[in-house]
Structure formats: structure tokens, C-alpha cells
Amino acid sequence: MPAVDKLLLEEALQDSPQTRSLLSVFEEDAGTLTEYTNQLLQAMQRVYGAQNEMCLATQQLSKQLLAYEKQHFALGKGDEEVISTLHYFSKVVDELNILHSELAKQLADTMVLPIIQFREKDLTEVSTLKDLFGLASNEHDVSMAKYSRLPKRKENEKLKAEVAKEVANARRKQHLSSLEYYCALNALQYRKRVAMMEPMLGYTRGQINFFKKGAEMFSKRMDSFLSSVSDMVQSIQGELDAEAEKMRISQQDLIAVNESVYTPDSDVISPAINRNLIQKAGYLNLRNKTGLVTTTWERLYFFTQGGNLMCQPRGAVAGGLIQDLDNCSVMAVDCEDRRYCFQITTPTGKVGITLQAESKKEYEEWICAINNISRQIYLTDNPEAAAIKLNQTALQAVTPITSLGKKHEVQHPSQTVKNMEKDEVIPSGSAGIQDSTQLIAPGTPIQFDIVLPAMEFLDQNRGGRRANPFGESEDSSKDEEEDSLLQQMFVVRFLGSMAVQSDETCEVIYEAMRQVLAARAIHNIFRMTESHLMVTSKNLRLIDPQTQVTRASFELTTVTQFAAHQENRRLIGFVIHLSDTLGEESMSAYVFESNTEGEKISYAISLGKEIIEAQRVSLFHSPHVYDTSCSGFHLHCPGTSGVHKKNELLLLLRTVLQVLYNTAKINCLISQ
């Protein structure tokens, strides 16, 4: 006998779309079986009706044969041979009528009755359990929607406990109804075989018994065949009994589980989180905008496939692409007073989708998995090992290294540092050992939010200047004219800042990047503030993208180091060197993530510093004053004449042309 398809009872609690899809196949099979059973029953009832009609017909025939004698024919009463013959035939017909009556009774008991019992008992039971399962499933969805709308305020703990208990009861009810429904569908696969063969077995036996008593018309070969069919039915019945006992034991084991499997977010304080995931699947709430200010949340099944985030509605055969995760960014967000919300942003800075997890564990694992996938770890030969190594590297980045040998292993073997006093080349590991603690002091705190939100910034009157969207600013016209040589805008997200001890090399920026990223990963800090970084020939300004308020401003002359990450091209950092009135100096490293390559921002900063240097050299050589407005350059050269005037004009013109060339070059890079 071929293997029987079964629904796995262990997957009833998860209720995944794959299980629902397989369940729909079983339901479709049950529907087809019900329709076919009704048609088969109609055919069998017609046979049974024909057999009853045969009994009545033979009985009527026997009476008609006997009535021949009582007929009054005009030519005569009839001959006695015919009458005696018809009397004999009447007896034969009466004997056959008895056989037909026995056959009709046997067909009713062995053919019609089993198929009716199968329809009224098994198929009706499956239909009833299907309705109960649907009600329990809908009740669970309603309770989950109510649970998802719970606010984060602590004063609602009693309400949260009541709703969580309601979710647990609904989930338990759905689990019990699904187990009973699955068991009935599994048993139906066996019972339908018996239900199809048992009636025909009774029909065939009744016909054989009928013909055996009337005449020896069937051979022993048919008896052997019917015997084998009977043995097969008994074997299937034995398998059904064994499988029913096995499912009963499995159902008891699945019911006797811990209560935590029904309660969402059962371990809020210290959930066991796997941060090395490169694949993730589960139910999430998807935020959909239905109007200008109205939104809806839909609970769907999400899973990752390579670098794609897929969505599969319940009951669907396959999922569809909803978001490309390559080079995207994910961050935690506050959304409509809901817990465990996070947002996926495309590499171009466009806001993608907003999702909500049902527990803290799912929330953090989804963010970690999407973050790992966005780095394209899945393309490596061993993605799991790469993810583990990445998280271990992040942990080591904020762990002090006291062993001289370990520090030497961290350094790149191909890098060398030249000893200027002895004029010899030594390995870079030695230099790294001397300078590692001098770059950033061990235990230096990291600040993850250096700017206030735009509304708080305005409320505290910290001198934020808002740009007029119609270009009718009065007090800013002078600054715009001064910065007209260079104005480049970049979309960035602030990652963190920390104090540093040196600004002599770019290694301090790389070290700050490592520590900031590692600290964000270890402490589960996913929130980032998006800003517009304006690079001008005078300063660097962080501007709020919604209100156009300047959140922070750094003079370009105070930027002593700037560099992009060597591997992650979207990371950019710079060092600010400041001196206070008492003569004390302070240095801080700022780390950002950009939607474009960090090299373009570095090039823009470099160009701004070149413009400052060109202006300084030009003003140092002569008292020329030049105006670089949009309409052109106007040179004013008071008090100069002769050869000196000509040389200085040529020097200034060369500087201006170089600035224009660099500006056009960076515009070309950014447009690419």
C-alpha cells in the first residue's frame, strides 16, 4: 500500500502558512471526497432501489403467471400444459423473488448503510471540526490584534496581564481544535479507503450469494479474490487502529507543554537572543497607510530568502517579495504607541516598511538578522561562521586588549611603519602596540545622540536658524554668498561620538568606528537620527530634514581628520579639535552612516579645506578682495600696479579656476 499523507501535529501550534497551505490541500481533498461520496451514494441507492423494484416485479410476475388460469378467453379457457407450465414458472419466480429479497436486504446492510455511516459520521465530523477550528483561529487573531495594540505605559500592567491571559486562552483553544481537526483529517485518509471498498465488497458478496443459490455461475477464483479483498480491508483497519493510538499519545504529549508556549513575550527581562541569524521567519504586523493620517496593521507571515524579505499571507501557496535587504538599514522606531516596532530603510534613504514583532526576543532577532543580511553575509561560503565572527569582532572591539601578543595578531601583517630616527622599517604591529592606547583611552564613554530633536531644539532657543523654503532669508544672504563656492548636501545618520586623545592619523577614526558599532550591537541600540549634512567652504552643518533647523555646526578649520571606512563604504567619520578660553584642548570623533559612499563626503570636506587654504594664501599675498557670486568673479585690487599686480592677478585667477574645477568634479562624483 502507498504511504498515507499526514498533517504533522507538532506544527499545529506554530500555525505557519506552510501548514495552512498543506491544511488547505487536505480540506480540498475532504471536499472532493464529500462530493464524490454523495454521488456514489446516489448510485448505490439507485441500485438498491432497482433491487427492491426487482422484488416487486418478480412478485407481480408470479401473480400474473398464476392469473393466467383465471383469464376468460373468448376462444377457450386455455390448455392445461400452458397453465401447469406457468404454475411451475410461478414457483420458480417465487423462489427467485425470495433470493431477490435476501439480496435487497444484504445490499441495504452491506452496501448502502456503510456509505451512509461514513458520510454522516466521518465527513460530518470533519466539517464540524473545520468550523470549530475556524472560530478558534478567528478568536486568536482578534486577541492577538488586541494584544498588539497594548501601549507601553507601565500603569497598564493589569490590562496587559489580562490581555496576555486572553491571548493564551485563545491560543490554547486554537491549539486543541487544530489537533482534533488534524487528527480527523489524518484518519480520513484511511477511512476513505475503507469506505470506498467496503460497500462494493458487500455488493459483490451479495450478488455472488444470489447467483450461487440460483446457479453455480462463479468459480472459486472469484471467491479467492473476494477473500484477498477482505484481508486487505482488515489490514487497513488494523493500521488505522494503530495510527489512531499513536496520534492519541502524541496529542497528549503536545497538550502537556509549558504554559509559556502559549503566552507571548513570556521572558521580557532576559530572553535568549540569537544575534548570528542569517535567516528568520515568523509573524509580524505590517503597517499600511490607508489615508493621509490613517493607518492599519496587518498580521502576516514574513521570512527571509537570500537577500530578500518575503511576505506570505495565510493560506497562500508561496510568498512574494516585499523588500530588498541588500545594503539596507534597520532601526528601532516609535510608532503609534506600539511596542517592538522597527523600520527598514533602503540604501537611497527612502523609508521602506514599518513592522512590529510580538515579543522582545523576536524584535531583537529580526533586527539582528536583517542587519546581518544587509551586509550580504549570506553570499559567503559559510554564512553562519561569518555572522558569528562578525559579532565576535564587534565584542572584541570594545574589549581592552592587554596581551602584547594578541594585539600584535590584530594588526595587518602587510602594513609597516618607518622609524625616522633609525631610518629602518619595522612591522606595523609594534607601532600599533604603542599607539593603540594613545588613540582612545580605555573606558571612554560613547554618546549615541549629540543633538536634540528639532522641536526641543527650538523650544530651548539654542540659536537654531531655519532656512526659508522660498529663498527670502534676510540675515543669511551673506553666509550663502560666502559659501557659494561649495554647498553639497548628504543624507546621513548619526551613529555615535566619543572623546579621542590623538588626531595625527586616520587610525583614530577607524578605532572610533569599531567601538561605536560594537557598542551599538552589544547594547541593542538600533535607533538612529537622520540628518542632512551640509558641507560648505566654511563649516559642516547638520540640518533637520523636516524643519530645516540647523542641529549642529562645526567650523571646517576645526576638522583635523576625516576618513571613510575601508570596507563599509557608507561609514564616514571626522575628528573635531577645539580649544577653550583657558587654553585646554579637546578632541572628539564623530561617526555617521551615509546613503552614499563616504569617500564622496571626504572629498567634499577636502575640497572645502582646499578652498579655505586658497583663500588664506590669496589674502596673505595681497590685499585683493574677490567676490564669488553666482554671476561671476569680480576682482578689486586697490593700491597695486605693474608686474606685482599682474602676478597677483594670475595667482588669484589660477586659484579660482582650481576651485571651480574641483567643485565641478565633486558634483560629478555625487551625481554618479
Side-chain angles (χ1 to χ4, degrees):
M1 291 294 294
V4 178
D5 295 326
K6 295 183 295 182
L7 287 166
L8 298 180
L9 301 182
E10 294 79 3
E11 297 180 358
L13 178 59
Q14 184 181 4
D15 195 24
S16 65
Q18 288 80 7
T19 305
R20 283 297 183 101
S21 179
L22 182 60
L23 176 62
S24 65
V25 176
F26 275 76
E27 291 175 345
E28 182 180 0
D29 184 81
T32 305
L33 179 61
T34 302
E35 183 179 358
Y36 174 78
T37 302
N38 292 330
Q39 297 175 357
L40 181 64
L41 179 59
Q42 292 178 0
M44 290 182 175
Q45 287 176 340
R46 186 176 180 182
V47 172
Y48 173 69
Q51 187 61 42
N52 283 332
E53 183 66 22
M54 187 67 178
C55 295
L56 297 175
T58 54
Q59 186 179 3
Q60 183 68 24
L61 176 60
S62 176
K63 291 180 180 181
Q64 289 296 328
L65 291 176
L66 293 175
Y68 181 80
E69 183 181 8
K70 300 177 181 180
Q71 298 299 317
H72 300 280
F73 297 103
L75 297 177
K77 187 177 179 179
D79 56 10
E80 295 293 329
E81 287 186 50
V82 173
I83 295 174
S84 61
T85 304
L86 292 179
H87 274 252
Y88 180 79
F89 278 120
S90 177
K91 292 179 181 179
V92 173
V93 171
D94 288 337
E95 292 176 357
L96 289 175
N97 184 39
I98 295 174
L99 294 179
H100 281 296
S101 299
E102 292 178 356
L103 177 59
K105 185 177 182 301
Q106 191 171 3
L107 291 179
D109 295 338
T110 61
M111 183 181 70
V112 179
L113 182 60
I115 199 69
I116 292 178
Q117 291 178 344
F118 172 72
R119 186 186 68 171
E120 300 298 329
K121 180 182 178 181
D122 297 330
L123 295 180
T124 304
E125 179 187 7
V126 170
S127 178
T128 303
L129 291 176
K130 178 182 179 181
D131 295 337
L132 294 176
F133 173 72
L135 292 175
S137 180
N138 293 336
E139 183 179 351
H140 174 255
D141 292 340
V142 171
S143 61
M144 280 303 304
K146 183 177 179 181
Y147 174 79
S148 300
R149 292 193 299 267
L150 286 176
K152 297 187 291 185
R153 295 188 295 272
K154 294 184 178 180
E155 56 268 25
N156 294 327
E157 293 299 325
K158 182 178 180 181
L159 177 60
K160 293 179 182 177
E162 293 176 357
V163 175
K165 185 177 179 181
E166 181 181 348
V167 171
N169 293 333
R171 189 167 289 177
R172 185 187 301 105
K173 182 178 179 181
Q174 182 191 14
H175 189 203
L176 294 176
S177 62
S178 62
L179 288 176
E180 294 177 357
Y181 187 34
Y182 290 3
C183 290
L185 288 175
N186 289 339
L188 187 63
Q189 301 304 310
Y190 294 93
R191 288 171 179 162
K192 74 176 182 180
R193 297 185 177 187
V194 176
M196 295 300 106
M197 291 185 290
E198 187 176 11
M200 293 309 302
L201 183 63
Y203 170 80
T204 308
R205 282 180 172 176
Q207 292 289 349
I208 290 177
N209 291 332
F210 171 78
F211 288 115
K212 274 186 177 181
K213 292 180 180 179
E216 293 295 332
M217 299 178 64
F218 291 93
S219 63
K220 294 183 178 180
R221 182 175 58 84
M222 184 61 69
D223 293 337
S224 176
F225 171 75
L226 295 177
S227 177
S228 64
V229 173
S230 178
D231 293 340
M232 182 178 63
V233 171
Q234 293 178 359
S235 175
I236 295 176
Q237 186 65 38
E239 291 181 8
L240 172 59
D241 296 339
E243 185 65 25
E245 180 65 19
K246 183 178 178 181
M247 288 190 295
R248 185 185 65 81
I249 297 175
S250 178
Q251 184 177 0
Q252 292 178 352
D253 294 339
L254 292 174
I255 293 176
V257 294
N258 195 337
E259 194 70 17
S260 61
V261 301
Y262 298 107
T263 305
D265 211 8
S266 58
D267 190 4
V268 184
I269 301 177
S270 58
I273 301 172
N274 186 2
R275 306 186 186 281
N276 304 322
L277 295 174
I278 57 171
Q279 291 181 347
K280 183 66 178 172
Y283 280 100
L284 294 172
N285 291 333
L286 173 64
R287 182 174 182 263
N288 296 317
K289 296 192 70 175
T290 58
L292 294 177
V293 294
T294 58
T295 59
T296 59
W297 293 82
E298 184 179 6
R299 189 168 183 261
L300 298 172
Y301 189 82
F302 289 85
F303 62 95
T304 60
Q305 190 176 50
N308 299 324
L309 179 62
M310 313 292 289
C311 175
Q312 184 174 1
R314 183 179 295 178
V317 179
L321 175 64
I322 192 171
Q323 182 73 51
D324 185 3
L325 299 180
D326 286 343
N327 298 319
C328 73
S329 60
V330 58
M331 68 181 75
V333 294
D334 291 328
C335 188
E336 301 180 9
D337 198 24
R338 285 178 174 243
R339 303 175 299 166
Y340 311 135
C341 293
F342 58 95
Q343 187 180 85
I344 301 176
T345 306
T346 63
T348 60
K350 181 181 179 181
V351 176
I353 58 176
T354 301
L355 302 169
Q356 180 191 19
E358 70 175 33
S359 65
K360 182 178 181 181
K361 178 178 182 296
E362 290 291 310
Y363 163 75
E364 296 192 7
E365 285 189 350
W366 269 108
I367 292 180
C368 292
I370 293 175
N371 190 36
N372 291 337
I373 294 173
S374 68
R375 301 179 183 180
Q376 299 182 349
I377 297 178
Y378 64 92
L379 297 177
T380 60
D381 295 335
N382 193 347
E384 291 80 4
I388 295 174
K389 183 178 179 181
L390 181 65
N391 285 279
Q392 288 178 348
T393 304
L395 180 62
Q396 294 173 359
V398 293
T399 303
I401 300 178
T402 56
S403 173
L404 189 64
K406 291 182 179 180
K407 186 64 181 179
H408 178 71
E409 293 175 359
V410 175
Q411 302 296 326
H412 198 284
S414 63
Q415 294 179 350
T416 57
V417 177
K418 188 173 183 179
N419 191 328
M420 300 304 296
E421 295 181 358
K422 298 182 180 181
D423 196 17
E424 60 182 1
V425 177
I426 61 174
S428 63
S430 302
I433 296 172
Q434 296 176 359
D435 298 337
S436 60
T437 57
Q438 297 177 2
L439 296 177
I440 300 176
T444 300
I446 300 175
Q447 192 168 359
F448 298 105
D449 193 2
I450 61 170
V451 292
L452 293 173
M455 296 306 297
E456 296 181 14
F457 194 92
L458 291 176
D459 292 340
Q460 297 186 10
N461 295 322
R462 298 192 178 183
R465 179 171 58 86
R466 177 167 181 162
N468 193 323
F470 300 101
E472 298 177 357
S473 176
E474 296 180 358
D475 55 351
S476 62
S477 59
K478 182 177 179 181
D479 294 336
E480 292 179 356
E481 290 180 359
E482 293 178 356
D483 294 337
S484 60
L485 279 178
L486 176 63
Q487 283 189 353
Q488 297 295 338
M489 183 78 73
F490 303 93
V491 178
V492 297
R493 287 172 293 277
F494 177 71
L495 298 179
S497 64
M498 60 191 309
V500 297
Q501 299 184 123
S502 173
D503 61 351
E504 296 179 358
T505 64
C506 294
E507 292 297 327
V508 66
I509 298 178
Y510 302 146
E511 182 66 22
M513 289 178 178
R514 285 193 293 269
Q515 295 197 20
V516 167
L517 292 177
R520 295 182 72 94
I522 292 173
H523 299 294
N524 302 326
I525 301 175
F526 305 106
R527 194 181 312 279
M528 292 183 289
T529 303
E530 185 172 289
S531 303
H532 288 171
L533 177 62
M534 174 68 77
V535 180
T536 70
S537 58
K538 183 179 180 182
N539 53 25
L540 303 178
R541 293 201 302 269
L542 289 175
I543 302 174
D544 185 271
Q546 297 180 352
T547 62
Q548 298 301 309
V549 171
T550 300
R551 288 173 167 170
S553 178
F554 306 100
E555 295 294 331
L556 205 56
T557 55
T558 62
V559 179
T560 56
Q561 286 290 343
F562 52 92
H565 197 275
Q566 296 175 340
E567 297 179 358
N568 190 346
R569 301 296 183 182
R570 295 189 298 165
L571 292 182
I572 178 68
F574 53 81
V575 177
I576 302 298
H577 193 152
L578 299 175
S579 300
D580 56 13
T581 56
L582 299 179
E584 297 182 358
E585 297 182 349
S586 63
M587 292 175 287
S588 300
Y590 296 83
V591 181
F592 295 87
E593 181 186 37
S594 173
N595 289 347
T596 59
E597 293 185 3
E599 290 292 341
K600 297 180 180 179
I601 301 179
S602 298
Y603 191 87
I605 297 175
S606 175
L607 182 57
K609 297 183 74 67
E610 289 180 5
I611 294 174
I612 293 178
E613 181 64 20
Q615 291 176 347
R616 185 187 65 81
V617 172
S618 175
L619 293 176
F620 176 77
H621 283 286
S622 84
H624 297 320
V625 179
Y626 61 93
D627 176 19
T628 57
S629 62
C630 297
S631 60
F633 296 92
H634 305 281
L635 305 179
H636 308 282
C637 308
T640 58
S641 61
V643 178
H644 293 286
K645 177 178 179 180
K646 181 178 180 181
N647 292 337
E648 291 172 359
L649 283 174
L650 291 175
L651 176 61
L652 183 56
L653 182 59
R654 179 182 178 183
T655 302
V656 170
L657 291 176
Q658 182 65 31
V659 169
L660 289 176
Y661 171 75
N662 291 337
T663 304
K665 185 176 181 181
I666 190 173
N667 286 330
C668 181
L669 286 174
I670 293 174
S671 63
Q672 292 176 358

